[in-house]
Amino acid sequence: MQKEIAIIPGDKLKQIVINIFTSLNVKHVDAAITADALVNANFCGVDSHGIDLLPTYVERIKHGGINKRANIKIVFENNGQMIIDADGALGPVVAHYATNQSTKLAKEHGVSWVTVKNSNHIGMLGHYTRIMCDVNLIGIVLTNSGPNVAAWGGAEAVMGNNALSVGVPGSGFPSFLLDMATGEVACGKIRLCANSGQEVPEGWILDSNGKPTTNPQDFINEGVVLPFGKHKGFGIGMMVDLLTGVISGGLFGKDVRRQRQNHTLIAGSSQTFIAYDFDKYMNKEEFNQRIDSWINMVKTSKKAFGFDEIIIPGENERNIYIQRMNEGIPITEEQMAYFDKFVDMKGVLNYE
């Protein structure tokens, strides 16, 4: 595994990321939005969607796969519905814009449906559902992505590791925060295993010949991820593709481009942002009581053998978030070496 060699406070880490993006002539406001999305993933312990994405984003900016001067525009709007053309923008930038549009429309109409096309990778979806939760809305975010998941029974990548997040407001942190890919595992986690020399569990991936393997390098060498839950996960993955790429007029299925395969082309992914304002018919006190009762019902249910606690979606992330907010974010040797290409890390961290 990569050795952790430093702990960096989140505000310092965000500034490092901002400095790297602005050195590429990304506008400061866009750099700050993207840094916030990436570092917040690290805060939550979702390191595969945090600063590990930085080298890929940087290369795509350098070679044109990300348009750092994108003309993000609304191409359709009607009664709480909206379609946004991202023009190949930095994913977190257009996702932040779409989240704000979705929350505004939901406050006006009670519910909103905002889709984005011609986009790029937007990072951890839970970052955006949490923003919706912070303004007392239930948030749902969906995204398709470049093809790396096989159909159930297939051996060829026919859709992306399409993902979804659902967030329910709570006190300071969502009371329920589901954030999941529809493949058996997020591709970033496979790459982390490859980088650290670890095998992956059985049932995660097939090699390029359609055979099961535990070698993460087999996935990188044109292998595929299996859908989670066999045909059930495959069906949910198709649903996400339908509700993002197909109905937005954007790319879908095999036509979406994998962000690491060609740094010169916009990925063309699509996202959907849905916000729901329960306050239109139920006051916040009653809502919170019902949510607390619902979660308590699950938490206090009978435990299976070998389990001491039932963990609600988002609970682990909340605990890690609290810890890392207090202690800082661990940085690996490889990450530090990458930062040193752009920033004098000794000066930043004040260490010998």
Side-chain angles (χ1 to χ4, degrees):
M1 295 183 63
Q2 284 286 325
K3 182 181 178 183
E4 295 176 359
I5 62 171
I7 303 291
I8 300 182
D11 58 345
K12 281 194 173 183
L13 186 56
K14 285 182 184 180
Q15 190 57 55
I16 292 167
V17 177
I18 289 170
N19 291 346
I20 290 173
F21 281 126
T22 55
S23 75
L24 301 170
N25 294 319
V26 173
K27 290 186 291 186
H28 188 275
V29 62
D30 292 346
I33 288 170
T34 305
D36 192 50
L38 297 183
V39 174
N40 271 314
N42 288 108
F43 269 133
C44 293
V46 188
D47 294 330
S48 59
H49 285 60
I51 57 172
D52 266 4
L53 289 169
L54 190 57
T56 300
Y57 283 19
V58 165
E59 290 305 307
R60 290 181 57 73
I61 290 168
K62 286 180 176 178
H63 295 94
I66 291 174
N67 182 0
K68 60 189 176 185
R69 290 291 186 268
N71 180 25
I72 299 171
K73 59 186 177 182
I74 298 169
V75 296
F76 172 82
E77 183 177 1
N78 183 52
N79 293 329
Q81 303 173 68
M82 181 178 288
I83 300 175
I84 297 169
D85 187 334
D87 192 30
L90 263 164
V93 172
V94 70
H96 183 80
Y97 178 75
T99 299
N100 288 340
Q101 292 294 329
S102 185
T103 57
K104 182 179 72 173
L105 290 171
K107 291 293 185 180
E108 179 181 352
H109 297 281
V111 64
S112 63
W113 185 289
V114 176
T115 58
V116 177
K117 61 181 179 178
N118 298 325
S119 186
N120 278 301
H121 191 276
I122 67 172
M124 183 182 75
L125 301 192
H127 174 67
Y128 308 103
T129 48
R130 185 180 173 194
I131 292 173
M132 296 180 188
C133 290
D134 286 344
V135 291
N136 213 35
L137 298 171
I138 292 174
I140 302 172
V141 178
L142 313 169
T143 186
N144 68 5
S145 58
N148 46 34
V149 176
W152 179 244
E156 175 189 359
V158 293
M159 64 181 180
N161 202 345
N162 300 336
L164 60 96
S165 177
V166 180
V168 177
S171 178
F173 199 92
S175 56
F176 176 94
L177 184 57
L178 175 68
D179 191 340
M180 54 173 280
T182 52
E184 186 63 40
V185 63
C187 299
K189 292 183 179 179
I190 301 173
R191 292 188 180 89
L192 287 177
C193 288
N195 292 338
S196 62
Q198 293 178 303
E199 290 195 333
V200 300
E202 292 182 4
W204 275 18
I205 58 175
L206 303 177
D207 66 17
S208 59
N209 297 313
K211 295 180 179 179
T213 177
T214 58
N215 183 352
Q217 198 63 42
D218 288 334
F219 165 74
I220 295 170
N221 295 330
E222 300 187 2
V224 293
V225 176
L226 288 166
F228 87 91
K230 303 179 180 179
H231 61 286
K232 297 177 183 178
F234 171 55
I236 294 173
M238 284 196 71
M239 177 199 73
V240 172
D241 213 9
L242 168 67
L243 298 179
T244 55
V246 176
I247 68 168
S248 70
L251 301 182
F252 54 84
K254 294 193 292 184
D255 291 338
V256 184
R257 306 175 189 100
R258 292 179 65 175
Q259 64 167 349
R260 289 180 173 86
Q261 281 192 338
N262 191 327
H263 293 153
T264 66
L265 296 175
I266 293 166
S269 55
S270 298
Q271 292 87 34
T272 294
F273 300 77
I274 305 165
Y276 181 69
D277 188 3
F278 56 85
D279 193 46
K280 298 293 185 187
Y281 66 91
M282 182 184 295
N283 65 56
K284 188 174 182 181
E285 182 179 352
E286 181 184 357
F287 177 84
N288 289 340
Q289 288 174 348
R290 293 182 65 83
I291 294 298
D292 289 345
S293 296
W294 171 56
I295 290 175
N296 186 61
M297 184 184 297
V298 175
K299 291 282 290 181
T300 58
S301 62
K302 187 177 179 179
K303 314 299 184 291
F305 178 78
F307 286 82
D308 298 322
E309 184 181 9
I310 292 171
I311 304 297
I312 301 298
E315 192 171 353
N316 281 334
E317 288 81 357
R318 180 175 66 243
N319 293 337
I320 296 171
Y321 181 88
I322 293 169
Q323 177 186 356
R324 291 187 172 183
M325 282 291 289
N326 291 327
E327 300 176 2
I329 295 170
I331 301 299
T332 67
E333 191 171 11
E334 182 179 24
Q335 290 166 340
M336 188 70 75
Y338 186 79
F339 290 156
D340 266 327
K341 296 179 181 179
F342 299 89
V343 181
D344 178 8
M345 291 304 295
K346 287 186 178 181
V348 170
L349 298 177
N350 296 316
Y351 70 94
E352 294 297 322

